[in-house]
Amino acid sequence: MPETPRLSRRRLLRLTAALPFGALLVACGGDGDAAPAGDAAEAKKQPPAPTSTPEPPFVVAAGEQKRLLLPGTPSETPAYVFGTGLPGKVVMALGGVHGNEPGGWQAAEQLADRFRPVQGAFIIIPRANKLAITDFVRTTDQLGDLNRLYPGAQDGLPMAQMAYSIVDLVREFHVAVLVDMHESWAFYKDRSQNGTAFLGQTVATYPAEPGMTLGRNVVDAVNGRILGAQEEFTYREFPSGRLPNPTSAAPNDTSGNPQAAVSGGSQSSLGLPRYIENLTVLLVEMGQQQLLSRRVALHVDVFQEVARRSGIVSA
């Protein structure tokens, strides 16, 4: 039998270099896990795995809208919506919840006339309880106390219906921050007892973030511009023991409060974060020992600080 010629090392290297790469893999055994060419072609035909598309940001169209709350009723009142057409937070101001607290509703009217956002949107209800404002009373039994009737009811007292309409508006426009403007008879710093009559010069929030940080920062900033120590604000975290757990109840669950079931609700605006996710509420109280013009100016200053920190106007 003729002897098979042996290849020198140099000749073997030359032959290897001349082979295609794929042939070399086959000759050497290749990758045991490599897919056949037909399988690779089939894989290319398969559609790519779907990827989630992020939800576009909520944007309020540029321009002014006027909404009527409780239209066709004696309590009908306007809500103004000022949109920019640009992404950003939506901030709401609420005035006139109590008719004998003129600093709040007069400040709200000034903001409606003069304040405009540069991004996001601004919503304002200057006279939430216009009948009480006309009579210059806190409210009446027939109307109900708006700031004790959230989240409201469609068929409750007039102010329970107003609370329901406000909550609907907050949800529709994805409101991020609500500023509720009030007045109190006496300064919080001068209180000799607890009670709603001793809340002047305070900013209160629901005990959850980001509201607590926003409230503290607003108080610090406004106090830095105040010359008289008596006018300085105190930050109040609304006592958690007086509010249900934020996730403990459905929006209209009044099973534990028979009177609330009749009237439409039992919470102040500070309780709204319990029903509306990602909502911050600041309840601002001015002491009525100050001149009305000063109370109005401070309300406006507090709101504008909130607007700056929410990014709807320039810092």
Side-chain angles (χ1 to χ4, degrees):
M1 177 180 236
E3 185 177 350
T4 303
R6 299 183 63 182
L7 294 176
S8 68
R9 179 179 178 83
R10 178 177 297 176
R11 182 170 176 76
L12 180 61
L13 287 175
R14 286 177 181 170
L15 287 173
T16 300
L19 286 172
F21 183 68
L24 181 62
L25 282 176
V26 172
C28 296
D31 186 347
D33 295 329
D39 290 348
E42 184 63 28
K44 289 182 179 179
K45 296 179 184 178
Q46 297 299 323
T51 56
S52 59
T53 303
E55 188 174 336
F58 179 78
V59 174
V60 179
E64 177 182 339
Q65 304 176 45
K66 180 180 178 181
R67 297 286 192 91
L68 291 179
L69 305 183
L70 304 190
T73 73
S75 295
E76 175 184 293
T77 196
Y80 301 98
V81 181
F82 301 97
T84 64
L86 300 172
K89 290 185 178 179
V90 180
V91 179
M92 175 185 281
L94 186 60
V97 169
H98 297 136
N100 61 349
E101 299 175 10
W105 49 265
Q106 289 190 25
E109 289 179 333
Q110 277 196 22
L111 290 168
D113 289 340
R114 305 174 189 175
F115 181 84
R116 297 295 180 271
V118 298
Q119 62 184 38
F122 168 49
I123 302 174
I124 187 157
I125 304 170
R127 297 186 174 217
N129 190 344
K130 74 171 191 180
L131 295 178
I133 290 173
T134 299
D135 293 339
F136 204 77
V137 295
R138 178 180 175 87
T139 190
T140 66
D141 291 341
Q142 293 74 28
L143 293 170
D145 188 339
L146 172 57
N147 207 37
R148 299 293 182 274
L149 292 174
Y150 292 105
Q154 287 181 294
D155 56 357
L157 294 169
M159 287 302 104
Q161 295 177 43
M162 183 63 70
Y164 190 93
S165 297
I166 291 169
V167 169
D168 261 4
L169 202 64
V170 168
R171 287 193 173 117
E172 177 186 352
F173 285 95
H174 300 211
V175 172
V177 184
L178 169 62
V179 181
D180 193 359
M181 296 181 283
H182 289 260
E183 294 189 332
S184 184
W185 298 343
F187 285 135
Y188 181 73
K189 293 178 180 179
D190 297 338
R191 71 194 185 284
S192 56
Q193 57 183 324
N194 292 325
T196 58
F198 298 90
L199 297 177
Q201 308 310 98
T202 62
V203 174
T205 65
Y206 189 86
E209 293 293 1
M212 294 187 296
T213 295
L214 177 62
R216 291 189 184 101
N217 289 341
V218 167
V219 164
D220 290 343
V222 173
N223 283 348
R225 296 190 286 270
I226 288 176
L227 299 179
Q230 190 69 3
E231 290 184 339
E232 289 184 352
F233 287 87
T234 299
Y235 168 75
R236 294 179 63 241
E237 178 184 310
F238 195 79
S240 57
R242 292 174 58 188
L243 283 176
N245 184 286
T247 59
S248 67
N252 288 296
D253 181 5
T254 55
S255 57
N257 187 338
Q259 179 57 36
V262 173
S263 60
S266 61
Q267 297 297 310
S268 78
S269 62
L270 284 172
L272 284 177
R274 163 183 183 224
Y275 306 110
I276 304 173
E277 190 177 4
N278 300 321
L279 175 68
T280 289
V281 177
L282 273 66
L283 195 148
V284 185
E285 296 270 7
M286 294 295 164
Q288 290 184 328
Q289 299 99 315
Q290 303 164 105
L291 292 174
L292 175 58
S293 59
R294 184 58 178 159
R295 281 141 47 198
V296 170
L298 286 172
H299 264 307
V300 170
D301 192 15
V302 169
F303 177 83
Q304 290 179 331
E305 187 63 37
V306 171
R308 282 190 289 270
R309 291 182 177 275
S310 299
I312 67 171
V313 293
S314 301

